[in-house]
């Protein structure tokens, strides 16, 4: 445990002392501390993950906090590994990326400082075992990430998004405080272990408390209807931070949910079914909105919502497996969810980093203004393609494996002789397929419009991407994606001990069975790969002696087309969006004068988030009206405030006189 | 065992025969003599022998996509079972890999279309991806219904258990066959969804996506489109072939059903016109509707307490 805590402290020191160094040294100082911290954190975490068991350290803190223990079990160690490497990758990437902002000297100091604080608080969140300390580090995580989001605080919309994010987090934490307050009051201790006896005491009230926890953690993770902060905060933040938040930080919400499931002990069907349904809706809502986005980072943010939904579906099936006493289904569900946590970390960070390189070179995130980037940024575009294929869940890449496990969990739920689980399973089954198909649409859109074809606008600058610190995090992540995709059993073999925490001991047999099947699957996937290589070679040899001409795209005889007549992302997604306009409301404004001869006209289209429009905005309006009733208290008139002071003094006078 | 591989090899060389069959049926119906049934083979050989013209706009995606397309169609074929003989590759959940393999090739074909920077191909890609969202969802409802009916989760074991013919199963089979038939039309881009004979009209989907391909690459694409139709038709044939027959008879019946399916496609193409593009999604939604009805019947059926002999997990 000491090693982990030393690592945490190293991150903290790195963040703090980077303030005192000059602009060029800052990143090197922070990076070297973050890198050294890995040597302390990773060996022990991998040790626990592979060999099971746990390690613990206890501190007696001053009174309100009481005894605080840090514990590293296999579940926590997986998250520690993700957080620690994620933070390191972000530090490496930021080294070059943040050069863009070198004119803002002070902000750059705060950037590395808060990056350090964010890494520390995330690490502490997953190992701390004391409710009060947990809430403190949880808040610290929200606040430090808030400061990172508003890094470009000279832009009003960034500040606005940042505040939206902060307020969403406060709403979430309110539920957590309520939940923790109740369990620690009734157990008389702040330690997580003592919560088990309170929560497992099954009555309808403990269900409510668990629901509070799920809502609180779900807000951080991005489940509907609390997902609306993601598409606002991610585009506002600098890319390194977006990647860290989307790939790593929202997973702490998932960690919280998994921890509560472990503490809860006896899961019942109400919780399992409602969690599963919410997750399914989250996945569909997220990806349907992603399909309609033009902003690259917003699209990625919505796709994070989708992936959180998929992880949630896996957890939901795991819970249903426990409810219906079928350890194979539970195993498939939890394994799929946990593998998808790792996978989403890898491909989402990769995609954000790729998007960052695009932004660095073109200074736009609007896909409709890009095009043809594959020619200018060959490395970035190849890596981005790997990420896109993986996130769409296609074979050869990691996303397929975790989705397959979740599909198998659902398919096996069909053979349980119970109508309600059958109906939920078929909904999940087709819902997941629907999600996968829309993901295919969204990512063919991003890749096809932004990276392929011709440039839609003239690019101003010379492109540069051959930067070790920008590309190395992406290459590292791409390698993990491909290894997991081709040899899934290697990654899955790391996860056995986590599953032991969720399932009874005798389910080890099933884990070995899954491992064996994944080895066979790996063989099939390699056969598929060899098919592809075989046909590519055939093509190569067939064309070797033939004439291959390079000419312009066939334009059907129309010679004066410009690159602007190419399909845009809006037009690409339009046929699909018109089918789901009930879920993703579209606003289309046509500015055209009703005259006989054509004049200049314009069209503008954007989409709205269903929940934002029909749930959050009306409630905010109502809340604002209610709070307006009290606005006379703060009128801004000096006289009124003087009267407040006088009234206060009068009360004091009366009180003192009255008491004496 | 040998027999299975021989038949798979026959299927691998057959797709153009079936395309030729459609053309022949159309010609006879129109009172023409028509091109020989084997004409698509001659076209294929001619295309293979040619060089290529490649757009300067394109990147490496354009050149790898056709090879991936043909590889995934052939790999998908390995997963499809034959009556009694099973499939070359079979494992629990193989239909998920089947669907995602086809999605993989779709992903790259769409990218290849966008790679040319042509707005025609953009139209095609956009429509293709829209329809695939409906088709994939419906396919998973079909497979989920069958899994619910038989308690099995791989192609071979599902079809092996579908033997019984009570009133319900016949109804379910009819519904699922119609759904899968729509899938054949979508995958093969045939009338009423798409017209493979013209490719410069705004209603085109698949044909317009491959406008810029020529030579070997075009041959690969034509082959894999034809093969995909055969593959989905094989699923239909699997649903229909009863397993109480002997092996040779069931295989002959299997081939006969395939031929029948393609003749029906030819007849449809002779009789009706392509749908208006805004009606195509509605038509494909029939697939979802039929498969949901099938699922509802199965769920109701199971509720009534009649269980199949599947041994569960």
């Amino acid at each position: 445990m000491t090693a982990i805590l030393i690592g945490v402290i190293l991150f903290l020191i790195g963040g703090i002392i980077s303030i005192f160094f000059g602009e060029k040294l800052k990143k090197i100082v922070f990076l070297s501390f973050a890198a050294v911290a890995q040597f302390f954190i990773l060996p022990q975490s991998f040790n626990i993950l592979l060999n099971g068991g746990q390690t613990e350290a206890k501190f007696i803190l001053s009174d309100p906090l009481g005894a605080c223990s840090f514990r590293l079990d296999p579940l926590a160690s997986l998250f520690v590994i993700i957080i620690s490497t994620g933070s390191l990758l972000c530090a490496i990437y930021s080294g070059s990326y943040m050069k863009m902002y070198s004119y803002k000297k002070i902000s750059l100091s705060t950037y590395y400082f808060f990056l350090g604080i964010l890494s520390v608080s995330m690490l502490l969140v997953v190992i701390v075992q004391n409710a009060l300390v947990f809430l403190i580090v949880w808040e610290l995580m929200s606040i430090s990430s808030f400061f990172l989001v508003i890094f470009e605080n000279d832009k009003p919309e960034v500040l606005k998004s940042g505040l939206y994010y902060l307020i969403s987090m406060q709403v979430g934490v309110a539920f957590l405080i309520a939940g923790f307050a109740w369990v620690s009051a009734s157990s008389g201790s702040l330690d997580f272990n003592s919560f088990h006896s309170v929560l497992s005491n099954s009555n309808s009230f403990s269900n409510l408390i668990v629901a509070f926890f799920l809502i609180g953690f779900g807000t951080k993770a991005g489940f509907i209807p609390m997902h609306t902060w993601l598409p606002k905060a991610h585009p506002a933040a600098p890319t390194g931070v977006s990647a860290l938040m989307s790939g790593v930080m929202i997973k702490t919400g998932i960690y919280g949910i998994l921890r509560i499931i472990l503490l809860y002990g006896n899961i019942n069907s109400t919780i399992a079914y409602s969690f599963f349904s919410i997750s399914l809706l989250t996945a569909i809502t997220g990806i349907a909105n992603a399909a309609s986005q033009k902003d690259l980072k917003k699209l990625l943010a919505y796709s994070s919502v989708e992936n959180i939904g998929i992880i949630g579906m896996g957890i939901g099936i795991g819970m249903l497996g426990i409810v219906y006493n079928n350890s194979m289904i539970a195993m498939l569900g939890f394994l799929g969810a946990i593998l998808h946590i790792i996978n989403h970390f890898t491909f989402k960070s990769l995609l954000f980093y790729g998007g960052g390189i695009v932004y660095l070179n073109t200074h736009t995130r609007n896909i409709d203004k890009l095009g043809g980037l594959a020619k200018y940024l060959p490395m970035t575009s190849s890596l981005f393609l790997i990420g896109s294929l993986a996130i769409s869940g296609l074979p050869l890449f990691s996303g397929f494996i975790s989705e397959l496990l979740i599909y198998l969990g659902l398919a096996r739920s069909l053979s349980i002789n119970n109508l309600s689980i059958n109906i939920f399973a078929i909904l999940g089954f087709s819902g997941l397929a629907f999600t996968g198909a829309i993901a295919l649409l969204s990512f063919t859109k991003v890749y096809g419009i932004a990276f392929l074809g011709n440039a839609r606008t003239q690019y101003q600058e010379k492109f540069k991407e051959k930067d070790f610190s920008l590309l190395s995090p992406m290459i590292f992540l791409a390698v993990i994606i491909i290894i997991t995709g081709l040899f899934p059993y290697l990654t899955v073999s790391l996860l056995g001990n986590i599953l032991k925490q969720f399932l009874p001991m005798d389910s080890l047999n099933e884990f070995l069975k899954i491992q064996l099947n994944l080895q066979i699957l790996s063989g099939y996937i390699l056969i598929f790969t060899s098919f592809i290589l075989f046909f590519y070679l055939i093509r190569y040899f067939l064309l070797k002696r033939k004439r291959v001409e390079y000419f312009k795209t066939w334009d059907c005889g129309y010679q004066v087309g410009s690159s602007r007549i190419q399909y845009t992302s809006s037009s690409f997604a339009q046929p699909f969006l018109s089918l789901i306009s009930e879920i993703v409301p579209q606003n289309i404004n046509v500015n055209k004068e009703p005259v006989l001869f054509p004049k200049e006209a314009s069209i503008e289209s954007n989409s709205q988030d269903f929940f934002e429009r029909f749930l959050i905005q009306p409630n905010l309006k109502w809340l604002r009206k209610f709070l307006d009733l009290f606005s006379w208290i703060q009128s801004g008139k000096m006289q009124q405030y003087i009267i407040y002071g006088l009234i206060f003094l009068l009360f004091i006078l009366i009180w003192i006189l009255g008491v004496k | 065992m040998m027999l299975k591989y021989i038949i798979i090899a026959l299927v691998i060389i057959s797709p153009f025969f079936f395309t030729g069959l459609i053309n022949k049926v159309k010609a006879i119906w129109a009172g023409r003599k028509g091109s020989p049934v084997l004409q698509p083979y001659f076209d294929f050989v001619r295309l293979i022998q040619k060089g290529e013209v490649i757009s300067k706009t394109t990147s490496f995606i354009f050149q790898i996509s056709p090879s991936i397309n043909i590889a995934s169609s052939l790999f998908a074929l390995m997963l499809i079972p034959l009556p009694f003989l099973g499939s070359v590759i079979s494992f629990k959940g193989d239909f998920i890999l089947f669907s995602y393999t086809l999605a993989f090739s779709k992903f790259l074909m769409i990218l290849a279309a966008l790679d040319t920077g042509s707005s025609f191909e953009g139209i095609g890609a956009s429509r293709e991806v829209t329809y695939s969202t409906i088709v994939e969802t419906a396919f998973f409802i079909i497979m989920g219904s069958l899994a619910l009916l038989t308690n099995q989760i791989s192609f071979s074991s599902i079809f092996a258990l579908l033997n019984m013919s009570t009133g319900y199963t016949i109804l379910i089979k009819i519904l699922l066959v119609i759904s899968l038939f729509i899938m054949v039309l979508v995958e093969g881009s045939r009338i009423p969804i798409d017209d493979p004979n013209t490719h410069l009209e705004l209603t085109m989907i698949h044909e317009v996506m491959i406008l810029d391909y020529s030579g070997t690459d075009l041959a690969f694409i034509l082959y894999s489109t034809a093969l995909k139709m055969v593959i989905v038709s094989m699923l239909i044939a699997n649903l229909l072939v009863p397993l109480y027959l002997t092996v040779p008879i069931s295989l002959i019946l299997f081939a006969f059903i395939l031929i029948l399916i393609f003749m029906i496609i030819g007849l449809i193409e002779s009789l009706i016109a392509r749908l208006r593009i805004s009606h195509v999604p509605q038509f494909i939604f029939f697939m979802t509707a039929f498969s949901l009805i099938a699922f509802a019947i199965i769920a109701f059926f199971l509720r009534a307490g009649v269980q199949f002999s599947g041994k569960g997990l």
Side-chain angles (χ1 to χ4, degrees):
Chain A
M1 198 67 222
T2 342
I4 305 280
L5 292 176
I6 291 174
V8 172
I9 291 165
L10 280 172
F11 265 113
L12 185 66
I13 297 174
I16 292 172
I17 69 166
S18 72
I19 297 176
F20 304 108
F21 285 89
E23 191 205 318
K24 287 229 169 91
L25 280 175
K26 255 184 227 310
K27 60 184 184 200
I28 299 171
V29 170
F30 183 73
L31 182 60
S32 43
F33 272 95
V36 175
Q38 309 297 320
F39 290 107
F40 289 95
I41 292 175
L42 292 184
Q44 182 148 31
S45 315
F46 270 110
N47 184 23
I48 299 274
L49 192 62
L50 286 171
N51 302 325
Q54 60 180 32
T55 159
E56 194 170 342
K58 203 166 197 173
F59 295 90
I60 307 296
L61 301 172
S62 62
D63 197 29
L65 301 172
C68 170
S69 49
F70 297 96
R71 192 177 302 130
L72 192 72
D73 55 3
L75 177 66
S77 56
L78 174 73
F79 283 89
V80 164
I81 292 166
I82 291 177
I83 292 166
S84 179
T85 41
S87 304
L88 179 70
L89 293 177
C90 176
I92 297 173
Y93 186 83
S94 301
S96 284
Y97 185 79
M98 298 308 282
K99 271 183 204 157
M100 188 165 56
Y101 301 107
S102 54
Y103 60 94
K104 306 172 68 171
K105 287 221 165 72
I106 302 166
S107 300
L108 216 55
S109 293
T110 61
Y111 181 80
Y112 285 106
F113 175 69
F114 284 116
L115 202 56
I117 302 287
L118 178 61
S119 317
V120 169
S121 50
M122 286 193 296
L123 284 169
L124 287 178
V125 156
V126 295
I127 57 175
V128 100
Q129 296 292 316
N130 175 309
L132 205 50
V133 181
F134 180 87
L135 285 173
I136 292 171
V137 288
W138 184 265
E139 274 299 70
L140 200 60
M141 180 170 80
S142 299
I143 291 168
S144 54
S145 53
F146 162 71
F147 281 111
L148 290 169
V149 168
I150 60 161
F151 179 77
E152 288 182 79
N153 50 16
D154 43 342
K155 293 183 185 162
E157 74 271 14
V158 167
L159 212 54
K160 210 174 150 194
S161 316
L163 284 172
Y164 191 100
Y165 165 59
L166 192 64
I167 292 166
S168 308
M169 288 303 102
Q170 297 317 307
V171 173
V173 87
F175 284 97
L176 288 185
I177 290 173
F180 277 123
W182 188 82
V183 281
S184 54
S186 40
S187 70
S189 157
L190 285 168
D191 196 81
F192 279 6
N193 273 358
S194 63
F195 296 169
H196 178 68
S197 56
V198 179
L199 284 173
S200 58
N201 189 356
S202 70
N203 51 34
S204 57
F205 197 66
S206 74
N207 259 357
L208 183 72
I209 292 301
V210 170
F212 266 48
F213 278 118
L214 293 185
I215 295 171
F217 287 125
T219 308
K220 180 62 105 184
F223 283 96
I224 56 162
M226 308 299 287
H227 67 281
T228 47
W229 66 267
L230 280 119
K232 289 190 164 53
H234 288 329
T239 300
V241 177
S242 314
L244 189 62
M245 281 172 72
S246 187
V248 180
M249 194 192 71
I250 58 173
K251 306 297 185 326
T252 57
I254 298 287
Y255 164 79
I257 290 168
L258 289 172
R259 182 61 74 193
I260 288 301
I261 291 171
L262 278 184
L263 290 175
Y264 189 38
N266 59 339
I267 296 149
N268 54 38
S269 55
T270 322
I271 291 276
Y273 276 124
S274 24
F275 188 73
F276 179 76
S277 321
I278 292 280
S279 306
L280 177 59
L281 288 177
T282 302
I284 293 176
T285 312
I287 198 65
N289 278 295
S292 74
Q293 298 305 320
K294 283 177 261 192
D295 182 324
L296 178 54
K297 274 177 140 183
K298 236 182 189 170
L299 190 150
L300 292 177
Y302 269 119
S303 130
S304 292
V305 176
E306 177 226 347
N307 281 286
I308 287 293
I310 293 176
I311 295 170
M313 280 170 79
I315 297 174
I317 299 156
M319 290 201 270
L320 284 172
I322 292 177
V323 169
Y324 287 98
N325 240 332
N326 187 322
S327 56
M328 191 63 181
I329 293 174
M331 171 81 75
L332 285 166
F334 281 120
L335 185 61
I338 291 166
L339 188 62
H340 205 73
I341 291 171
I342 303 172
N343 289 345
H344 182 240
F345 157 63
T346 51
F347 47 62
K348 189 47 68 67
S349 308
L350 172 64
L351 291 170
F352 264 116
Y353 289 144
I357 296 181
V358 171
Y359 183 69
L360 204 58
N361 283 300
T362 61
H363 297 285
T364 181
R365 296 193 311 255
N366 187 345
I367 305 168
D368 286 351
K369 292 210 166 88
L370 300 169
L373 290 175
K375 287 189 220 61
Y376 306 106
L377 302 167
M379 281 298 282
T380 313
S381 75
S382 313
L383 291 165
F384 200 94
L385 180 64
I386 292 175
S388 307
L389 287 163
I391 204 167
S392 309
L394 297 172
L396 307 194
F397 300 93
S398 63
F400 176 68
I401 307 297
S402 42
E403 288 193 22
L404 177 74
L405 291 170
I406 295 173
Y407 271 123
L408 285 175
L410 286 164
R412 284 179 181 253
S413 312
L414 286 168
S415 59
I416 293 180
N417 195 9
N418 175 312
L419 192 62
S420 62
I421 193 173
N422 291 342
I423 289 174
F424 274 87
I426 200 92
L427 281 176
F429 212 54
S430 50
L432 198 53
F434 189 50
T435 314
I438 309 175
L440 192 146
L441 184 152
S442 306
F443 284 92
T444 45
K445 179 178 98 172
V446 177
Y447 195 79
I449 304 290
F451 288 89
L452 303 177
N454 286 314
R456 285 177 181 73
T457 44
Q458 198 76 42
Y459 295 126
Q460 298 300 325
E461 285 170 50
K462 259 189 95 178
F463 283 89
K464 55 170 191 284
E465 61 160 359
K466 297 226 162 24
D467 185 325
F468 177 75
S469 94
L470 291 178
L471 286 179
S472 58
M474 293 174 71
I475 293 171
F476 172 75
L477 293 167
V479 168
I480 297 181
I481 289 173
I482 291 174
I483 289 178
T484 313
L486 294 181
F487 311 102
Y489 50 93
L490 293 179
T491 315
V492 167
S493 65
L494 297 173
L495 306 176
N497 285 313
I498 300 179
L499 291 169
K500 270 188 210 155
Q501 285 180 285
F502 286 92
L503 300 165
M505 277 306 181
D506 57 331
S507 54
L508 191 72
N509 229 344
E510 266 113 37
F511 184 67
L512 292 176
K513 220 192 259 174
I514 294 177
Q515 274 283 51
L516 185 70
N517 284 333
L518 283 176
Q519 281 176 17
I520 298 169
L521 178 72
S522 162
Y524 295 150
I525 288 177
L526 289 176
I527 292 175
F528 181 32
T529 320
S530 60
F531 270 32
I532 293 174
L533 288 178
F534 174 72
F535 280 103
Y536 192 73
L537 282 178
I538 286 190
R539 176 189 182 275
Y540 174 79
F541 285 114
L542 278 173
L543 288 179
K544 206 175 167 190
R545 277 185 233 126
K546 312 250 166 60
R547 209 173 66 166
V548 176
E549 274 180 87
Y550 290 86
F551 200 66
K552 67 178 181 178
T553 301
W554 191 41
D555 46 16
C556 308
Y558 184 69
Q559 298 283 334
V560 289
S562 78
S563 68
R564 287 194 57 201
I565 67 167
Q566 288 176 95
Y567 247 47
T568 60
S569 73
S570 325
S571 41
F572 182 74
Q574 190 273 333
F576 175 69
L577 291 177
S578 67
L579 294 180
I580 56 158
S581 55
E582 307 294 323
I583 313 172
V584 186
Q586 301 285 316
N587 290 334
I588 298 174
N589 294 321
V590 184
N591 298 317
K592 191 181 164 200
E593 285 178 54
V595 288
L596 286 178
F597 291 101
K599 275 192 162 182
E600 204 173 279
S602 66
I603 182 167
E604 196 188 322
S605 70
N606 55 36
S607 65
Q608 273 186 318
D609 193 306
F610 183 83
F611 290 93
E612 174 104 32
R613 180 169 168 184
F614 295 109
L615 189 78
I616 292 180
Q617 297 291 3
N619 279 327
L620 281 184
K621 217 180 256 173
W622 175 86
L623 195 65
R624 198 169 288 144
K625 251 186 202 154
F626 176 71
L627 292 176
D628 267 349
L629 294 178
F630 304 95
S631 65
W632 54 269
I633 297 173
Q634 285 278 12
S635 66
K637 287 186 190 134
M638 187 58 83
Q639 293 93 323
Q640 198 179 334
Y641 295 140
I642 293 173
I643 286 183
Y644 290 159
L646 283 176
I647 293 171
F648 176 69
L649 286 176
L650 204 67
F651 269 114
I652 296 279
L653 195 68
I654 292 167
W655 184 66
I656 291 172
L657 289 177
V659 169
K660 291 202 170 167
Chain B
M1 265 296 109
M2 234 10 238
L3 186 62
K4 176 161 80 181
Y5 293 103
I6 292 168
I7 292 173
I8 290 291
L10 281 176
V11 173
I12 289 175
I13 54 172
S14 74
F16 286 131
F17 164 73
F18 288 111
T19 344
L21 193 65
I22 295 179
N23 292 336
K24 198 74 187 174
V25 170
K26 278 164 81 176
I28 291 171
W29 189 268
R32 292 183 281 118
K33 191 160 165 256
S35 53
V37 176
L38 297 183
Q39 183 63 37
Y41 288 100
F42 308 143
D43 294 345
F44 180 79
V45 172
R46 198 189 62 222
L47 281 172
I48 287 284
Q49 286 166 347
K50 287 195 171 187
E52 286 194 7
V53 182
I54 293 171
S55 164
K56 272 186 272 186
T57 311
T58 57
S59 64
F60 69 100
I61 301 276
F62 186 79
Q63 302 193 32
I64 59 169
S65 291
S67 315
I68 292 178
N69 195 14
I70 193 170
S72 16
S73 309
L74 278 172
F75 186 71
L77 175 67
M78 301 295 130
L79 298 165
I80 300 285
L82 298 163
F84 286 113
L85 301 174
S87 54
V88 179
I89 292 174
S90 172
F91 61 97
K92 282 181 179 163
D94 52 5
F95 59 89
I96 302 164
L97 182 62
F98 170 79
S99 176
Y100 273 71
T101 310
L102 294 184
F104 185 55
S105 77
K106 204 167 266 174
F107 191 102
L108 281 147
M109 286 313 292
I110 288 164
L111 285 189
L114 292 170
D115 201 7
T116 58
S118 149
S119 35
F120 291 106
E121 300 191 30
I123 296 177
S126 156
R127 287 173 183 163
E128 172 104 346
V129 76
T130 305
Y131 302 151
S132 79
T133 55
I134 312 172
V135 173
E136 274 180 38
T137 314
F139 179 72
F140 274 89
I141 301 176
I142 294 173
M143 293 318 296
S145 311
L146 288 173
L148 182 65
L149 183 66
T150 57
N151 278 346
Q152 296 296 326
I153 51 174
S154 74
F155 272 137
S156 329
S157 42
I158 283 175
F159 290 127
L161 270 180
L162 267 181
N163 200 0
M164 279 152 232
S165 309
T166 58
Y168 283 122
T169 10
I170 290 171
L171 190 56
I172 291 161
K173 277 183 183 176
I174 292 171
L175 288 166
L176 295 185
V177 164
I178 296 173
S179 298
L180 284 172
F181 186 71
I182 296 174
M183 188 171 166
V184 177
L185 297 177
V186 179
E187 287 294 341
S189 45
R190 310 302 299 201
I191 285 176
I193 287 138
D194 192 357
D195 188 345
N197 283 335
T198 64
H199 46 230
L200 261 189
E201 287 173 40
L202 294 182
T203 41
M204 303 306 356
I205 305 159
H206 180 77
E207 286 299 313
V208 85
M209 280 173 69
I210 56 172
L211 265 187
D212 261 87
Y213 277 114
S214 51
T216 310
D217 283 338
L218 184 60
F220 280 5
I221 292 170
L222 290 180
Y223 175 78
S224 54
T225 311
L227 182 60
K228 269 181 210 169
M229 281 175 79
V230 177
I231 288 173
V232 186
S233 310
M234 281 169 78
L235 287 180
I236 299 180
N238 264 309
L239 268 178
L240 292 177
V241 173
L243 289 186
Y244 48 77
L245 303 170
T246 57
V247 180
I249 294 178
S250 72
L251 286 176
I252 290 166
L253 193 61
F254 190 82
F256 178 72
I257 290 172
L258 283 185
I259 291 171
L260 194 68
I261 289 169
F262 281 86
M263 285 168 77
I264 292 172
I265 294 174
L267 277 182
I268 289 176
E269 300 212 343
S270 316
L271 289 170
I272 59 176
R274 188 183 55 229
L275 284 171
R276 220 173 78 191
I277 208 78
S278 56
H279 291 170
V280 172
Q282 296 166 2
F283 178 70
I284 306 175
F285 267 126
F286 274 113
M287 197 179 156
T288 321
F290 283 132
S291 47
L292 274 177
I293 295 169
F295 171 74
I297 294 171
I298 294 167
F300 175 73
F301 188 49
L302 279 182
R303 202 75 217 261
V306 186
Q307 273 281 5
F308 272 86
S309 61
K311 62 175 183 6
L313 293 170

